[in-house]
Amino acid sequence: MPMDDEMNAETGTAPESRSALRRKRERELRLRMVLNAAETLFARQGYHQTGMEEIADMAEVSTGSVYFYFKNKEDLLINLMKEIGYQLRELLGTELNKTDLSLDSLRNIAVAFLEDFCARHPEKIAIFFRESVGQSREVEEVRKEVFLRLVSDIKEALLRIADRLDRRFVSDAAPEVIAVCIVGIYDRLACHYLLWRDHPKNIMDAADEVIGFMLGGVEKLLGNTEQ
């Protein structure tokens, strides 16, 4: 029996043919090209100044192809924001998993955000912290969801670090307060150096001061060893 005709043991369906797999890869490639073009244009000239036709031209696809994947320009922006949010959380999670869950873990997270994300991907920062601001309720909901997920991730990291050090925060609210402040610091620092002053190199010059400020706040609210 030809391989293509064999049934998938788990699903009970025949596997996709080579031609079907090729078409699937081509669709995924076009989708990626559209997203990349939108990311570049939104960051370079602004969300409102960018048209779907321009996105199609840069992606080297038809305008109809863009609308095949996304119902409108806002849908494109929302998908980019979700992708950027996922990449941010993945970066922070990877850095945490590299460490021994000490306070230096927070230093590694800060350096990863500033150096590996902000400095290397200013277009993503422009979209998430500038172009998505003041848009529709749907866009704002995505911003809120990503913010809350980042806060939750950092709060969980703080609790794990405290447990690893056998220390307890001075109040139940402290880990969440710190997490909100850390995400806010990241937000404002990225805006200040990358969007408002356009000095991407200076963001790393400020890293030590930012990290020291952040760790000082953590130490202030992290009590002594539990009696």
Side-chain angles (χ1 to χ4, degrees):
M1 179 183 294
M3 183 65 68
D4 285 353
D5 292 334
E6 292 181 358
M7 301 295 287
N8 185 299
E10 294 183 359
T11 65
T13 59
E16 295 180 273
S17 66
R18 291 182 179 179
S19 59
L21 290 172
R22 184 179 66 253
R23 289 193 297 271
K24 182 177 180 180
R25 287 194 300 270
E26 289 172 350
R27 288 194 299 270
E28 291 172 350
L29 177 60
R30 285 194 295 271
L31 172 62
R32 185 71 261 163
M33 291 170 65
V34 170
L35 283 168
N36 289 345
E39 182 177 281
T40 298
L41 290 171
F42 289 168
R44 179 186 300 170
Q45 62 190 37
Y47 171 75
H48 289 295
Q49 288 70 42
T50 300
M52 295 289 266
E53 296 80 6
E54 292 177 278
I55 295 171
D57 287 344
M58 177 169 279
E60 298 182 342
V61 299
S62 68
T63 304
S65 292
V66 179
Y67 281 106
F68 173 79
Y69 295 108
F70 304 99
K71 59 184 180 182
N72 51 38
K73 192 169 64 171
E74 180 181 271
D75 189 27
L76 242 174
L77 178 61
I78 287 174
N79 275 270
L80 281 172
M81 289 172 60
K82 288 180 177 179
E83 183 175 80
I84 293 168
Y86 173 80
Q87 291 166 345
L88 265 175
R89 296 184 67 209
E90 185 177 45
L91 174 70
L92 300 185
T94 297
E95 290 304 315
L96 268 178
N97 290 332
K98 290 179 182 177
T99 69
D100 58 356
L101 290 179
S102 66
L103 287 179
D104 277 342
S105 303
L106 299 179
R107 182 182 300 274
N108 296 340
I109 289 175
V111 170
F113 175 75
L114 298 174
E115 186 171 18
D116 296 340
F117 200 85
C118 290
R120 295 182 184 179
H121 304 288
E123 69 285 350
K124 297 182 187 295
I125 295 300
I127 289 171
F128 196 84
F129 293 118
R130 184 187 69 201
E131 296 307 315
S132 62
V133 175
Q135 304 298 343
S136 70
R137 182 180 60 81
E138 288 78 10
V139 173
E140 190 58 34
E141 281 297 314
V142 175
R143 281 173 52 83
K144 174 184 174 182
E145 179 182 356
V146 174
F147 181 89
L148 292 177
R149 286 182 179 273
L150 287 171
V151 167
S152 178
D153 290 344
I154 294 177
K155 175 185 174 182
E156 179 62 28
L158 289 167
L159 291 171
R160 288 168 61 194
I161 290 170
D163 187 62
R164 171 73 171 77
L165 299 176
D166 194 22
R167 297 173 68 181
R168 297 294 178 265
F169 285 98
V170 296
S171 74
D172 291 341
E176 184 165 274
V177 169
I178 295 172
V180 169
C181 290
I182 289 175
V183 175
I185 288 171
Y186 291 164
D187 180 335
R188 293 302 89 191
L189 199 69
C191 288
H192 181 73
Y193 284 109
L194 299 179
L195 305 181
W196 298 338
R197 293 186 60 189
D198 193 24
H199 292 159
K201 293 183 180 179
N202 290 8
I203 197 169
M204 289 313 300
D205 294 337
D208 285 341
E209 288 81 359
V210 171
I211 293 168
F213 177 78
M214 183 177 68
L215 292 182
V218 175
E219 281 284 6
K220 182 71 174 178
L221 294 179
L222 189 58
N224 296 323
T225 302
E226 187 176 32
Q227 301 298 321

